[in-house]
């Protein structure tokens, strides 16, 4: 009787393990795709916020070039006059009048709405009754 060679792969010998590894790889690939999608969404949101901040910074620069003083205060509590006087770059010189606009919020939607309201004040004509 002649010897008969059987040709088997390692996957044929350990077929259950091979299927399990395939399942794990498929799950890992699926998880990576979901992670990539979430990372892309975060990047889009960061880019949008960056554009908003750049636009706000540009607006503040333009306001300062018109003689309006803009002072950014970090969030905190206490006497407002004291906080302004002790700020990193407080207003200097003689002022005869002033307007204080304060926007404070931790909710980005509220910040966006406050910004839109501020833009309305600065850009819409005043209606005289």
């Amino acid at each position: 009787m002649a010897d008969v060679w059987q040709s088997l792969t390692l996957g044929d010998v350990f077929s259950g393990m091979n299927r399990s590894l395939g399942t794990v790889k498929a799950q890992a690939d699926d998880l990576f795709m979901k992670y990539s999608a979430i990372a892309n969404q975060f990047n889009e949101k960061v880019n949008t916020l960056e554009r908003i901040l750049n636009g706000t910074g540009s607006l503040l620069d333009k306001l300062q070039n018109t003689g309006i003083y803009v002072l950014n205060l970090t969030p905190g509590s206490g006497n407002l006059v004291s906080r302004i006087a002790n700020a990193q770059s407080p207003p200097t010189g003689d002022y005869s009048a002033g307007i204080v606009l304060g926007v404070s919020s931790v909710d980005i939607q509220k910040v966006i709405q406050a910004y839109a309201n501020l833009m309305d004040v600065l850009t819409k004509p005043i209606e005289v009754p």
Side-chain angles (χ1 to χ4, degrees), residues 59-73:
L59 172 66
L60 294 177
D61 289 341
K62 289 176 184 176
L63 287 174
Q64 286 178 325
N65 290 334
T66 64
I68 294 175
Y69 190 84
V70 177
L71 177 65
N72 294 316
L73 294 177

Side-chain angles (χ1 to χ4, degrees), residues 39 74 76 97 121:
T74 57
V121 168

Side-chain angles (χ1 to χ4, degrees), residues 19-122:
R19 281 193 300 272
S20 296
L21 290 175
T23 301
V24 168
K25 183 186 180 311
Q27 290 173 348
D29 290 343
D30 184 55
L31 184 60
F32 178 76
M33 293 299 285
K34 289 176 182 175
Y35 167 79
S36 296
I38 291 171
N40 289 338
Q41 288 177 0
F42 275 128
N43 284 335
E44 288 174 17
K45 294 195 183 304
V46 166
N47 290 337
T48 300
L49 288 174
E50 190 174 61
R51 282 193 300 275
I52 290 170
L53 290 175
N54 288 339
T56 303
S58 174
L59 172 66
L60 294 177
D61 289 341
K62 289 176 184 176
L63 287 174
Q64 286 178 325
N65 290 334
T66 64
I68 294 175
Y69 190 84
V70 177
L71 177 65
N72 294 316
L73 294 177
T74 57
S77 61
N79 183 311
L80 183 61
V81 173
S82 173
R83 290 184 65 214
I84 291 171
N86 295 321
Q88 286 183 343
S89 56
T92 57
D94 297 324
Y95 292 94
S96 60
I99 297 173
V100 175
L101 299 173
V103 177
S104 175
S105 178
V106 294
D107 183 355
I108 191 66
Q109 292 303 323
K110 288 182 181 179
V111 171
I112 292 170
Q113 185 59 49
Y115 178 76
N117 294 344
L118 178 61
M119 290 304 296
D120 286 345
V121 168
L122 296 172

Side-chain angles (χ1 to χ4, degrees), residues 1-8:
M1 177 188 255
D3 289 333
V4 178
W5 290 91
Q6 294 182 356
S7 178
L8 297 174

